[in-house]
Amino acid sequence: MENKLKNKLCYASGDIFGGGAFMIFSLLFMNFLVLVEGLPVVATTIIIFIGRLWDAVTDPIMGRISDKTRSRFGRRRIYFLIGVIPVYLSFVMLFYSFGIDGVMAKIVYYTFSYMFFGTVFSIVMVPYNAILSDMTSDYNERTTFTTFRMIFSGAAALVCAVVPSMIIKSAGSQHNGPQQIPGYLVMALVFGAIFGACWLVTFWGTRERENLPPPEKITLASWLSVFKNSAYRNFLGIFVSFQIAVDLVLALFIFYIDIVVLQYKNYELVVGTLLVCSMLLITVHGAIAKKKGKVFPLFIGIPFWIVSTLMFIWLGPGSFGGQASILTVVLCVLAALIAIGTSSGQLSTWSMLTDIYDIDEIRSGKRREGIYSGMTTFVRKFASGVAVLLLGIGLQAIGFDQNEYSVLKASVSNFDPASYAQSNVVLGIKWMFVLIPFILLSICLFFAFKNKITKQRFDSVLKGIEEFKSRGNIGALNEQETADVLVVTRMERDKLWGA
């Protein structure tokens, strides 16, 4: 029991980097490049877009490399050890230019830094996403491991939403600008060291299966073959629509709070409520998933998120008679309701991915966790990059200019925020904030209802795999077990196991 708890805690430690670094990047990187390093907004957008496209390309490559790796430390764990120092260096490089001067030189440097960070992220996170199927084949135990992972990720995100800005202000300046460069450096040194150390813990406390078959040659057709797996296609529909909804809501949230409802001073409180509730609800969804199946939390959480999102339509600076305190409370309540959806999606999607590896094995007779992990993150990041780019185009199309708005607030003595809040720009942001998640979450629910993987059917798949290994067929499975395998794989019996 103690060893299993150690394994779960050490495994979950890896997503301290995943959740924490993602939160710091999302909240601070663009602000750092534009207002601290003084880069043009357009150049900053291009840096982020190039970085995400590069990141998407490196993921499937890393998935294949980890599948082929054979070492005394395993094919996945070895990369946790290799990644310790690069994780530290790449995170520091994101927030420090080492005295480089000149706009163009900085653009080149930060483009390289982000690409380097993305490469390192792939080196550790792709094997990390693939290793759980080696650690346990039990359906419910995988859910428990994922629950621990999401709790650690949520806690890291919460800390990283608050503490970095405190370090930046104390070691740099209270004013957002070039004077904060020392603060960003100290912050990066501190959190880079924490993120690097987490991978030592994960390396120490995880394990892999042994006696792996020799790696096979992989072609482009092999990569594309994953899309023949209907269970995987359906999973991608759930996973990508949910993850893009999260990405775009996070990107729009600060604009909604700052401009639509004029509550920027309470932004940390509202975001903190969302993150705390998400972390606390993970255990609840984990318990539900064990009893009802991994997809079931989505049927609870996503409707809550959709309904709460629609409630934002009626909010504005004049709501509740202009009483800002009541508006703040309502925003926190809605954030808590959104957290029911975000926590359900994070738990369900990441725990469902590991089951796809076993369904592919009974289809193909091969273990290809790395390919699936790499392709999943490739599709997710490529789709996210395109979505963020389209979001930027949409904001520009409605006439929004964040720098212009910030200058207006700071320099015009008679600036009337309530009047500004009635403009077409604000209405555009409000409807984007409401309609984008509504559409994406509806798509997520559509695919969730099409999911065919239950605990009973998954257990039948595992039994079928063992029968193929020992007998070369699934003749020993009873009628129900055979039907379960055929429903999940959507294949004819005589075509299973790569026949």
Side-chain angles (χ1 to χ4, degrees), residues 12-33:
S13 296
D15 219 27
I16 291 176
F17 174 63
F22 173 79
M23 182 58 63
I24 293 175
F25 180 89
S26 299
L27 293 180
L28 296 178
F29 188 61
M30 190 166 183
N31 175 82
F32 171 74
L33 293 184

Side-chain angles (χ1 to χ4, degrees), residues 471-487:
R471 302 171 182 266
N473 58 63
I474 56 172
L477 269 62
N478 62 39
E479 184 177 346
Q480 181 60 57
E481 291 169 339
T482 301
D484 287 339
V485 171
L486 298 183
V487 166

Side-chain angles (χ1 to χ4, degrees), residues 116-241:
F116 177 45
F117 175 78
T119 302
V120 174
F121 197 90
S122 297
I123 287 173
V124 293
M125 290 303 296
V126 170
Y128 179 70
N129 290 333
I131 198 174
L132 181 55
S133 64
D134 278 343
M135 296 183 68
T136 177
S137 60
D138 184 83
Y139 183 85
N140 282 336
E141 193 169 27
R142 286 181 180 178
T143 302
T144 302
F145 269 90
T146 305
T147 300
F148 273 80
R149 173 184 175 177
M150 291 299 104
I151 290 174
F152 274 50
S153 179
L158 178 60
V159 170
C160 291
V162 178
V163 175
S165 61
M166 296 171 60
I167 294 175
I168 291 166
K169 291 176 182 178
S170 61
S173 171
Q174 294 289 326
H175 302 287
N176 199 5
Q179 59 271 38
Q180 287 189 329
I181 288 177
Y184 271 93
L185 174 59
V186 173
M187 180 278 295
L189 290 170
V190 170
F191 279 93
I194 292 172
F195 295 148
C198 290
W199 289 110
L200 280 176
V201 175
T202 306
F203 170 79
W204 172 65
T206 52
R207 64 181 186 274
E208 297 184 57
R209 67 178 63 192
E210 299 177 355
N211 302 319
L212 294 168
E216 298 182 6
K217 182 180 180 180
I218 299 297
T219 63
L220 178 60
S222 301
W223 284 106
L224 297 178
S225 69
V226 300
F227 296 108
K228 294 180 180 179
N229 185 342
S230 60
Y232 181 62
R233 294 197 305 270
N234 190 76
F235 165 78
L236 280 181
I238 297 171
F239 180 75
V240 173
S241 57

Side-chain angles (χ1 to χ4, degrees), residues 20 459 492:
D459 288 341
E492 296 178 12

Side-chain angles (χ1 to χ4, degrees), residues 248-273:
L248 296 185
V249 166
L250 282 176
L252 283 169
F253 204 75
I254 190 169
F255 298 126
Y256 183 92
I257 296 296
D258 184 18
I259 298 171
V260 178
V261 294
L262 306 177
Q263 286 283 311
Y264 181 70
K265 64 180 180 181
N266 294 313
Y267 174 70
E268 288 82 3
L269 175 62
V270 178
V271 172
T273 301

Side-chain angles (χ1 to χ4, degrees), residues 328-344:
T328 301
V329 172
V330 172
L331 289 171
C332 288
V333 171
L334 292 178
L337 294 176
I338 290 176
I340 300 176
T342 58
S343 56
S344 69

